[in-house]
Amino acid sequence: MSAILVVNSGSSSFKYQLIEMTTEEVLASGLVERIGDETGHTKHTTTEGSSELDLPIRDHSQGFQVMLDAFRANGPSLDEHPPVAVGHRVVHGGKRFFEATIVTDLVKINIEDLADLAPLHNPANLQGIDAAQKAFPDVPHVAVFDTAFHSTLSPAAYTYAIDKALAEQHRIRRYGFHGTSHKFVSEAAAKFLGRPLDDTKTIVLHLGNGASACAVSDGKSVETSMGMTPLEGLVMGTRSGDLDPAVLFHLHRKTGQTFDDLDTLLNRGSGILGLSGHGDMRDMIAAANAGDADSQAALDVYLHRLKQYVGAYAAHLGRLDAIVFTAGVGENTPLIRAGALKGLGILGIEIDEERNASPERGPRLISTEASRVAVLVIPTNEELEIARQTLAVI
């Protein structure tokens, strides 16, 4: 038996999965949320069903004890399926972590030091690691970094054209995110197509509330849309994506908004929410279909940006074997898939309307037989990718 416990920790919650790696079966999954509130909430799911509980949860350490209680009460037994390691999602590894890494005191110091690059994520990830180490003190803990897959970017791809010394002093460069998803999906795409990974050119479009594009050449990331932070790139649920930086200077001078105000605007009040008033893609599309002009305009902007990245990344790759849609929006929204690639016949891309509209949910081909580029939908599985990398490290 070789079970891996995967933990994805936020500032007031954490998700977990217990995965049996010989079969890659999810034995249990769960959520512990509203940590620190008057009343917390937990949900524990197994093949037998789900159980939920409301109770005060003081901190992450108590949250892990609640999780252990859920395993004892609802199974599976951790005595019968003892985790051989705990894998942790960590958002930012900076230039220091290029692969999954066993957690040591020095690694934790480095994760904390990188918190200024991901202030909403790294401290929360570290809280989860500390609490998990108390709950599972006798097994290795492994940090799997969102940025690690993009460590193969060339200097031309990761360098911003600002003062070199200033950039080096303050660690300003493109890092990229969603790395576990892009790695998992690009490898799954090559396998689906029956191509060797080291001879496959793929564009992965990870489209959820957060969204990013990645050009993957022979299994390696060569370009990606998110930058020093997850704000750059595609239009997202509440994030602006690409923006002329002078817009910030202009707004500051004209409105007096502080840098914190502008940070909140671009990260939480922009994207499709800022354009349409709808923070959920489904609501925006429904409104657009009902004739709402703002929602239609937001949809047009969203698709225009996507198409722009597909074209640019095709140029970087030089040859394109597949375009892959993944994550919540990418996996479940035929209109977005069709709209993003509409008019790209110049690249040899042809979507089959019937295949694209299919309610099927597994990995699938949605391009025509005549399409020179395969268009795929492949569900992402970041937890399984974290578990695989964790097992490989130990």
Side-chain angles (χ1 to χ4, degrees):
M1 305 295 280
S2 55
I4 299 289
L5 180 67
V6 175
V7 175
N8 183 349
S9 182
S11 58
S12 61
S13 66
F14 65 87
K15 296 186 290 185
Y16 61 88
Q17 284 191 11
L18 182 68
I19 303 175
E20 174 49 57
M21 296 307 293
T22 54
T23 60
E24 296 191 337
E25 175 190 3
V26 178
L27 301 177
S29 62
L31 170 67
V32 178
E33 61 181 340
R34 299 203 290 270
I35 295 171
D37 288 356
E38 184 176 343
T39 303
H41 179 76
T42 71
K43 182 176 182 179
H44 184 83
T45 301
T46 69
T47 55
E48 303 298 319
S50 297
S51 62
E52 300 188 47
L53 188 64
D54 292 317
L55 75 169
I57 303 173
R58 181 181 61 258
D59 53 24
H60 283 67
S61 291
Q62 185 181 358
F64 271 85
Q65 292 306 310
V66 171
M67 179 194 74
L68 293 175
D69 290 342
F71 273 104
R72 280 189 286 268
N74 305 289
S77 168
L78 293 181
D79 292 328
E80 296 177 10
H81 303 277
V84 297
V86 181
H88 297 268
R89 178 194 181 218
V90 179
V91 167
H92 220 303
K95 295 194 296 182
R96 303 179 190 181
F97 298 104
F98 303 134
E99 58 187 2
T101 304
I102 291 179
V103 175
T104 63
D105 288 342
L106 180 59
V107 167
K108 292 201 291 186
I109 289 170
N110 278 278
I111 291 172
E112 184 175 20
D113 185 57
L114 291 165
D116 62 335
L117 295 175
L120 299 179
H121 297 96
N122 273 34
N125 301 153
L126 197 54
Q127 280 183 294
I129 290 173
D130 287 337
Q133 286 181 318
K134 292 177 183 176
F136 298 93
D138 300 322
V139 301
H141 291 250
V142 176
V144 178
F145 298 89
D146 277 8
T147 52
F149 183 59
H150 304 298
S151 65
T152 52
L153 294 179
S154 68
Y158 68 64
T159 301
Y160 291 119
I162 66 170
D163 179 84
K164 181 181 178 181
L166 193 66
E168 289 178 350
Q169 180 182 357
H170 296 287
R171 300 182 287 198
I172 298 171
R173 51 159 285 177
R174 180 182 307 282
Y175 294 101
F177 299 90
H178 291 147
T180 52
S181 178
H182 288 303
K183 183 177 188 296
F184 178 88
V185 170
S186 57
E187 291 176 359
K191 184 177 180 180
F192 183 94
L193 295 172
R195 298 185 60 97
L197 182 63
D198 60 4
D199 186 30
T200 304
K201 315 291 186 184
T202 305
I203 296 173
V204 179
L205 300 173
H206 177 110
L207 308 180
N209 187 52
S212 65
C214 185
V216 184
S217 178
D218 307 334
K220 298 178 180 178
S221 172
V222 296
E223 252 297 359
T224 192
S225 57
M226 285 179 168
M228 187 181 87
T229 76
L231 180 59
E232 188 179 0
L234 303 176
V235 176
M236 303 177 225
T238 63
R239 298 178 204 154
S240 65
D242 292 340
L243 186 78
D244 181 347
V247 170
L248 301 180
F249 312 147
H250 178 75
L251 286 173
H252 174 67
R253 293 180 185 122
K254 291 292 185 179
T255 69
Q257 291 184 78
T258 66
F259 291 119
D260 286 341
D261 294 334
L262 294 171
D263 185 292
T264 299
L265 171 69
L266 296 191
N267 277 290
R268 300 181 183 179
S270 298
I272 64 171
L273 175 64
L275 291 172
S276 71
H278 299 286
D280 187 283
M281 178 65 72
R282 293 165 294 187
D283 295 336
M284 187 191 76
I285 290 175
N289 289 338
D292 180 69
D294 288 342
S295 294
Q296 184 60 56
L299 180 60
D300 292 343
V301 172
Y302 184 94
L303 295 174
H304 182 90
R305 187 78 56 84
L306 267 175
K307 185 182 296 186
Q308 178 175 313
Y309 271 90
V310 170
Y313 286 5
H316 281 302
L317 289 169
R319 184 190 88 224
L320 186 56
D321 299 312
I323 296 172
V324 191
F325 290 90
T326 194
V329 174
E331 293 171 27
N332 300 302
T333 318
L335 179 111
I336 294 297
R337 297 193 295 259
L341 303 183
K342 184 178 180 181
L344 291 181
I346 190 172
L347 298 178
I349 300 168
E350 295 181 12
I351 282 190
D352 184 296
E353 292 183 10
E354 185 174 345
R355 288 173 173 173
N356 186 39
S358 169
E360 186 182 346
R361 286 293 173 261
R364 58 200 185 274
L365 179 77
I366 62 169
S367 49
T368 67
E369 298 302 327
S371 182
R372 298 198 306 272
V373 176
V375 182
L376 308 176
V377 179
I378 295 182
T380 192
N381 193 333
E382 294 174 90
E383 289 79 13
L384 178 56
E385 179 61 34
I386 290 170
R388 287 174 175 173
Q389 292 190 40
T390 297
L391 189 61
V393 167
I394 65 169

